[in-house]
Structures are given as structure tokens and as C-alpha cells.
Amino acid sequence: EAQVTQNPRYLITVTGKKLTVTCSQNMNHEYMSWYRQDPGLGLRQIYYSMNVEVTDKGDVPEGYKVSRKEKRNFPLILESPSPNQTSLYFCASSPRVLREATQYFGPGTRLLVL
Amino acid sequence: GENVEQHPSTLSVQEGDSAVIKCTYSDSASNYFPWYKQELGKRPQLIIDIRSNVGEKKDQRIAVTLNKTAKHFSLHITETQPEDSAVYFCAASGNNLFFGTGTRLTVIP
């Protein structure tokens, strides 16, 4: 089954404790992206990747890192999480750049930073 | 970067009536305009999209219109049903996707 998966789905952590949220797609998609969703703000892009070893900042990259060592995986790293990073996070992938192709979302990761 | 504004933020309609959600965008280079539906606790799901070479697209009870000159696009849902109740997001894209802030649609049986 074609899908985007994220792990963990729920995470409670404390300020400053490094964490990684994994994202994987099995559709051989070139484009992958991370969003955060906060009430009243919609979805805002954190980072995106157009292909292996190619990543770039989105709208709200501060406090986050990403890597794209393999086509299928695009982990989101919070080196020193803070309470303002409490949010719902979505990974997404697309066969090509978005002007040409549809984007598919993972199930989401709900993060609480205490 | 792109700025997408979406109105209204909440919308209540009677079952069977039509619902219209409007969005404007700022970057004239944007050329892909998807609409997503998000049910409570779920991921956004694409319901319809339109590209800049098309002015209107329809899929059963939903339709999207695009006015590139005025930089606005709209979602129209006809014959609304309770299962249409959800949050709807518009978005505009060149290389990246910029979302509106969402419209919570409630269909009253």
C-alpha cells in the first residue's frame, strides 16, 4: 500500500531533550516536506527536500533540522525542543515539485514539550 | 513569499444548502491551487485541485474556480451533507505549498 508513515504518533518530552520524528514514504517520491499545524494558523512549512541531499528552509525553520540521506526517509530533528514547538506535525511527499503533482500527507505526530 | 488569505474562518449551513469558501493569494507566480479537507484528528486529504491554465474544475458536488487576474480562487460545495463537516484549507503553490488558515464548515442536519 502506497503511504507516508510517521513515528512516533504521539510524544511528550521535556525542554532541551533532543528528539527525532521519522518520516518514510514507499512511493519513490522526490519531494518531501514537513509542516506544523497550530490552531488558527493553518499549516506552515518547516523544511522541504526536492531530492536526496537537497534540503531547504520553509516558512518556520528555526529550531528544526532535517536530513535526506535516502529518497524514502526525511527525519525531523529538534535538537533542543522548547514549549513553543508543541504542535501537530505532518510529513508529506509528492512525486515531483508541487506545481506538477499532488502532495500526500502522513498521519501526523502530536508533540507536547513541557 | 506567498501569502494566502482564507475566508470565512467558520461557516454553518443547513443540510442541502451550498457552501462557498474564498481564498486570495499574493504571488502571481503561483500556479497550483489545491483544496484539502481535514476531519478531526486526521491528516489533510486532497479533495480537488486546479492549475493555472484552467478557470474552473468540478468533481461531483464540489467545484473550484480560479481568477488569476484577481488572484483569488474559491471552493463551492453543493447539496451539503453532514459528512461534509470538517476544516477546509486552501493552498497556493509554485515550488512550495502555502496554506490558508482554514475554514471550519458545519453542516446542520
Side-chain angles (χ1 to χ4, degrees), chain A:
Chain A
E1 180 191 353
Q3 58 182 349
V4 180
T5 57
Q6 293 178 229
N7 283 292
R9 296 289 314 280
Y10 304 92
L11 180 59
I12 301 174
T13 190
V14 296
T15 299
K17 186 176 181 182
K18 181 179 179 179
L19 66 92
T20 299
V21 183
T22 64
C23 173
S24 183
Q25 50 91 6
N26 62 1
M27 298 170 279
N28 202 36
H29 284 175
E30 290 183 357
Y31 183 99
M32 297 186 74
S33 182
W34 276 102
Y35 298 89
R36 61 177 289 174
Q37 183 175 24
D38 303 289
L41 296 177
L43 290 99
R44 295 177 293 167
Q45 190 177 53
I46 302 170
Y47 269 94
Y48 65 96
S49 169
M50 292 201 180
N51 215 323
V52 176
E53 302 292 0
V54 180
T55 64
D56 211 343
K57 297 177 181 178
D59 271 350
V60 288
E62 294 78 22
Y64 304 94
K65 285 174 59 177
V66 293
S67 68
R68 187 92 182 271
K69 293 185 171 59
E70 307 163 281
K71 201 169 188 178
R72 63 183 293 128
N73 296 323
F74 191 44
L76 179 70
I77 303 154
L78 285 71
E79 294 269 5
S80 182
S82 62
N84 64 12
Q85 293 178 297
T86 293
S87 189
L88 176 59
Y89 291 88
F90 287 101
C91 179
S93 74
S94 173
R96 296 174 296 282
V97 293
L98 294 179
R99 71 167 75 90
E100 300 175 5
T102 301
Q103 185 165 225
Y104 298 88
F105 283 84
T109 295
R110 193 169 291 279
L111 172 65
L112 173 61
V113 183
L114 300 173

Side-chain angles (χ1 to χ4, degrees), chain A residues 31 37 98-99 103 105, chain B residues 32 38 43 46 95-97:
Chain A
Y31 183 99
Q37 183 175 24
L98 294 179
R99 71 167 75 90
Q103 185 165 225
F105 283 84
Chain B
Y32 173 59
Q38 188 178 28
R43 74 192 79 187
L46 180 74
N95 283 333
N96 292 310
L97 207 55

Side-chain angles (χ1 to χ4, degrees), chain B residues 4 9 23 38 42 53 61 65 75 83 86 98 104-105 109:
Chain B
V4 179
S9 56
C23 290
Q38 188 178 28
K42 301 280 184 65
N53 57 346
R61 296 187 297 109
T65 59
L75 177 72
E83 52 264 39
F98 295 88
R104 182 174 299 280
L105 173 64

